[in-house]
Amino acid sequence: VVIGVIGLIIGIALVAAGKKFYVAVDEKAIAVRECLPGNNCGACGYAGCDAVAAAIAAGDAPANACPVCSADAVAKIGGIMGVEAEAAQRKTAQVKCSGDCEHTSAKCNYVGIEDCRAAALAGLNTGSCTFGCLGYGSCVKVCTYDAIHVVNGVAKVDTSKCVGCGMCAKACPKGLIEVLRADRTFVVQCSNKDRGPAVKKVCSAGCLGCGACVKQCEHDAIHLEGNLAYIDYDKCVGCGKCAEKCPAKNIVRQ
């Protein structure tokens, strides 16, 4: 009898506590969350999938706020929210460095933690170009899609696997990885902002800042900023004339 009474009191207390501390659950947010990939990559600008799901359900973010979502997933989210929605423009990452082992030389040998962020904090740069890829694979470790690997000393992106989440870009201590629209045709694979002669000394594939690409472009789609060529993909038509005239062959087709 005593045990029964104690159990009844505890049961009543639990029911009362449950009602007092009840937190309302947004069913739409739960349904939207189930459509999201669950990588918590932050490419949407929110803290994670739970946060963006809540924002979409509340109307604070569009149905296609997640750039990683497939077209089918975005359509499902649109159905939940009662709106028509299309997937955001697909984006993929690009490593702005072509200074692999064939085009640069090593200044020293490094033995230690294979991590770019650790090497950057220690001020280590084993390659001749101080702007170049460190090649220790911090970007590789954070990619959950197996879309980036270090090849011949430089990180390379497999655009067929990349979903544009931006995790690799966040992991790169030198800011060499940029997430760009996937329909781009040509890219500038360099981040060295030194003048041409200085670039040529450390990397045979670096941008010389000569401006030949700028003069050749008929669409005003490429400019020099800090001795480095940049492509405006809203204007670029993919004709390839800039790549043809680049003496360093640093502008390459994706």
Side-chain angles (χ1 to χ4, degrees):
V1 172
V2 172
I3 293 173
V5 171
I6 292 173
L8 180 62
I9 293 171
I10 293 173
I12 294 171
L14 289 173
V15 171
K19 289 183 177 181
K20 182 176 182 180
F21 298 107
Y22 173 75
V23 178
V25 177
D26 189 337
E27 297 297 334
K28 279 188 177 180
I30 294 175
V32 170
R33 177 65 182 82
E34 290 176 352
C35 298
L36 299 177
N39 294 311
N40 295 312
C41 61
C44 57
Y46 290 84
C49 292
D50 289 341
V52 73
I56 293 172
D60 296 331
N64 63 353
C66 174
V68 179
C69 271
S70 64
D72 290 339
V74 171
K76 288 180 182 178
I77 294 172
I80 294 168
M81 298 303 299
V83 297
E84 291 186 5
E86 295 182 356
Q89 185 181 59
R90 183 172 178 262
K91 295 183 178 182
T92 56
Q94 176 219 347
V95 181
K96 297 181 292 181
C97 179
S98 54
D100 57 23
C101 297
E102 296 175 4
H103 296 98
T104 59
S105 57
K107 293 191 300 183
C108 61
N109 291 323
Y110 168 68
V111 178
I113 300 172
E114 294 290 312
D115 183 85
C116 299
R117 290 167 291 191
L121 286 172
L124 297 173
N125 199 100
T126 57
S128 55
C129 178
T130 57
F131 292 85
C133 177
L134 291 168
Y136 299 128
S138 290
C139 52
V140 178
K141 295 169 187 174
V142 298
C143 182
T144 57
Y145 298 94
D146 191 39
I148 188 167
H149 297 92
V150 175
V151 180
N152 201 17
V154 173
K156 301 288 183 182
V157 178
D158 183 344
T159 54
S160 66
K161 294 181 179 180
C162 180
V163 298
C165 68
M167 291 295 285
C168 56
K170 294 177 182 177
C172 179
K174 290 200 167 186
L176 297 180
I177 304 176
E178 189 175 11
V179 180
L180 303 169
R181 51 195 294 177
D183 62 352
R184 63 190 184 272
T185 309
F186 290 90
V187 295
V188 178
Q189 287 194 158
C190 184
S191 295
N192 195 327
K193 295 184 178 181
D194 287 338
R195 293 186 178 276
V199 175
K200 203 168 183 178
K201 286 181 180 179
V202 297
C203 179
S204 60
C207 175
L208 303 175
C210 62
C213 52
V214 179
K215 297 173 185 176
Q216 189 66 26
C217 183
E218 300 172 357
H219 304 278
D220 191 40
I222 189 165
H223 298 92
L224 290 181
E225 296 179 20
N227 301 313
L228 187 62
Y230 287 91
I231 298 174
D232 183 344
Y233 293 104
D234 290 330
K235 296 180 179 179
C236 180
V237 297
C239 66
K241 291 182 179 179
C242 58
E244 291 175 6
K245 289 296 180 180
C246 178
K249 302 303 177 186
N250 188 259
I251 303 175
V252 298
R253 183 183 292 275
Q254 280 276 268

